[in-house]
Amino acid sequence: MNKKTIIKRADEKDALKEAASLLKSGGLVVIPTETVYGLGANALDARAVENIFKAKGRPSDNPLIVHISDISELNNLVKNITNTAKIAMDKFWPGPLTLVMEKSDIIPNIITAGLDTVAIRMPDNMVARQIIKLAGLPIAAPSANSSGKPSPTNIEHVIEDLDSKVDMIIDGGKTIVGVESTVLDVTGNIPMILRPGDVTREDLLEVFTQVEEDISIMKDDKDIIPKSPGQKYKHYSPKANMRIITGDLGNIVVRINQLEKIYREKGLKVGILATAETMDKYKEENLLILGARKNPKEIAAKLFFLLRKFDKMNVDIILAEGIEEIGIGRAIMNRMKKAAGFDIEKV
Ligand code: TXA
Ligand code: MG
């Protein structure tokens, strides 16, 4: 594929109209959402959707999320809106929560990788919703990165991966959340988290008495098949090898400094991914700061951005501090563990 990619700011005249008309004619358009940028195409056009897989180099057994701009658009796309789904939509839409429901026949199989469920999300981003509304179509949109790379949180990262592979990129500035949406299976009576995100288990427990979590989310066990197919891939990876050090914060600092010295003496370029609370405990060279532990939303917003920054610094190994696995910390650690290929040391 070698396309001329049009790049426009969302507030440029007719940018959103142009995006919508490209989508209507089967094109690929990158759109901003509140989580990460999405690579959009008409969800009802199997050929357009096939081009998403090609542009990303995405395995065909990994299903896509369908984006809508209003709840009224949902009826055509799913067979059965459970009470569980209704409660989740009422509370969290528009927002970073994707709901897995029984699919209707108009959803092409390529979207769902042959599953009989479809993942649907109404993003909390005016630009995204306006484009979807103007196109008058449900829009399939995975994260707008090459498969395996960290999801893009600004258009520079989109351009790195997708320039000349898509028809248009809409620049909506930096995304707010920084990690992808929570994926929640609402086909049954008890909702189940298939991918952790900004809508946390704790948030869900405000409206549900019980919330399950797919056991494969935080573990690397070859015998467990994740219920969300995308979770089985080594994802979000920077070029460097990454190791996470978790446990007592004081011990983490000691161990990272120890490892830094060992690797440096071997002639490797070592990057350290630390937090505001510990940043002055390390050498400044190749040190990047995720944000403050007391403000984990800031950490989520910066994680992918910093992993891509390490790529540009050409480090050989990243030593990363683990984060507490509560609230959005679960989403952060889920992405970090995948980036590290589950190389985790507890101290
Ligand atoms: O925040 C987001 O969700 C972003 C923005 C662009 O909306 N999109 C995104 O899409 O992260 P993607 O394709 O990178 O991730 C979709 C995830 C994958 O893990 C996939 O396996 C899962 O959703 N998924 C899609 N359909 C599913 C289904 N029917 N059942 C279970 N998991 C599903
Ligand atoms: Mg993705």
Side-chain angles (χ1 to χ4, degrees), residues 36 56 58 62 142-145 149 151 180 195 235-236:
V36 299
K56 276 184 65 94
R58 181 179 177 106
N62 191 2
S143 49
N145 50 290
K149 293 256 262 149
S151 295
E180 307 85 347
R195 175 176 76 180
H235 245 145
Y236 320 113

Side-chain angles (χ1 to χ4, degrees), residues 35 38 58 62-63 65 67 117 119 121 142-143 180-181 195 228-230:
T35 55
R58 181 179 177 106
N62 191 2
I65 297 172
H67 296 68
T117 54
R121 164 162 129 79
S143 49
E180 307 85 347
S181 62
R195 175 176 76 180
S228 181

Side-chain angles (χ1 to χ4, degrees), residues 44 68 71-81 102-107 118 120 136 138:
L44 305 180
I68 59 176
I71 293 196
S72 61
E73 296 155 29
L74 186 64
N75 289 321
N76 282 334
L77 308 176
V78 297
K79 265 192 189 146
N80 178 16
I81 304 177
E102 212 182 310
K103 89 175 193 68
S104 77
D105 296 335
I106 68 164
I107 303 281
V118 61
I120 312 241

Side-chain angles (χ1 to χ4, degrees), residues 1 15 18 52 69 78 97 109 112 124 130 154 175 184 186 201 225 246 259 273 289 293 297 306 334 342:
M1 255 184 280
E18 197 177 338
I52 291 182
S69 68
V78 297
L97 179 68
N109 283 328
T112 62
D124 187 15
Q130 258 173 294
N154 62 38
T175 64
L184 189 72
V186 287
R201 188 189 154 82
I225 299 169
T246 62
L259 287 171
L273 191 56
I289 308 305
R293 285 172 180 273
K297 284 202 184 253
L306 294 184
N334 167 268
F342 288 89

